Amino acid sequence: MLSAVVGAAGCDGRSRPTATAAQCVEAAVRAAGEGPAERVGGAEFAVVGRHEARGRIGAPTRVSVVAVPCGRWKINIEYPAKLRVVSADSFAAAGDVLALGDAVRRDDRELRFDLDLTPEAAGERPVEFHLRFGLCDESRCITRQATMRWAYRVED
């Protein structure tokens, strides 16, 4: 699921090379690292969520969520981006919301959040994240939201 809402925020008007949607997705996949990937995107951006396919009770598993802009767009680093852990039943996490200051990378070409989830129960365990962030081009700024969902197979 992907939803978009127009918003306002600061934009410095810098231009950058144009990339196709396929190039944006590939850039996000490379930035997110190894492991299974979930992809969401549109004409202005690509978001990739990387995770491990399986987990063990009590052993932290790393999740990376990366957004990259496409075409004339750039990440608006003035917008208060957030990554919310909406649903992670049977997982322990350091927090339910990561703010822009928690991002491990935030510049006009990439916004990246890394977090650990620790499985607390065996079985097929779903997770869901909402990433809200801003984009700017030379004339306007917009906000976007991407929802990522997947399931872990957690073993004892």
Side-chain angles (χ1 to χ4, degrees):
M1 177 174 122
L2 173 68
S3 62
V5 180
V6 175
C11 186
D12 67 7
R14 291 183 295 172
S15 63
R16 51 187 223 79
T18 301
T20 67
Q23 289 170 325
C24 288
V25 170
E26 288 309 310
V29 167
R30 281 191 309 275
E34 294 186 26
E38 309 302 324
R39 298 170 176 93
V40 176
E44 305 102 356
F45 70 92
V47 175
V48 171
R50 283 279 197 193
H51 56 90
E52 298 171 19
R54 297 181 177 273
R56 290 188 109 25
I57 293 174
T61 179
R62 175 58 49 111
V63 174
S64 297
V65 177
V66 178
V68 297
C70 297
R72 67 183 189 273
W73 297 97
K74 64 183 180 97
I75 299 290
N76 181 353
I77 59 172
E78 295 175 23
Y79 182 82
K82 290 183 182 174
L83 178 66
R84 283 190 317 125
V85 181
V86 177
S87 173
D89 297 333
S90 302
F91 285 92
D96 292 341
V97 178
L98 298 175
L100 182 61
D102 299 315
V104 296
R105 181 161 179 198
R106 56 186 180 277
D107 58 39
D108 66 350
R109 287 173 278 163
E110 183 180 322
L111 176 63
R112 179 187 176 127
F113 291 93
D114 290 343
L115 68 144
D116 290 328
L117 295 177
T118 303
E120 297 177 323
E124 194 78 14
R125 300 294 172 195
V127 297
E128 181 175 318
F129 301 93
H130 290 193
L131 176 63
R132 188 169 176 91
F133 60 102
L135 297 169
C136 291
D137 69 4
E138 292 183 9
S139 63
R140 67 185 177 128
C141 293
I142 57 177
T143 59
R144 292 293 182 254
Q145 179 172 311
T147 298
M148 313 289 299
R149 293 181 191 97
W150 61 81
Y152 282 98
R153 178 77 196 142
V154 179
E155 301 167 355
D156 290 327

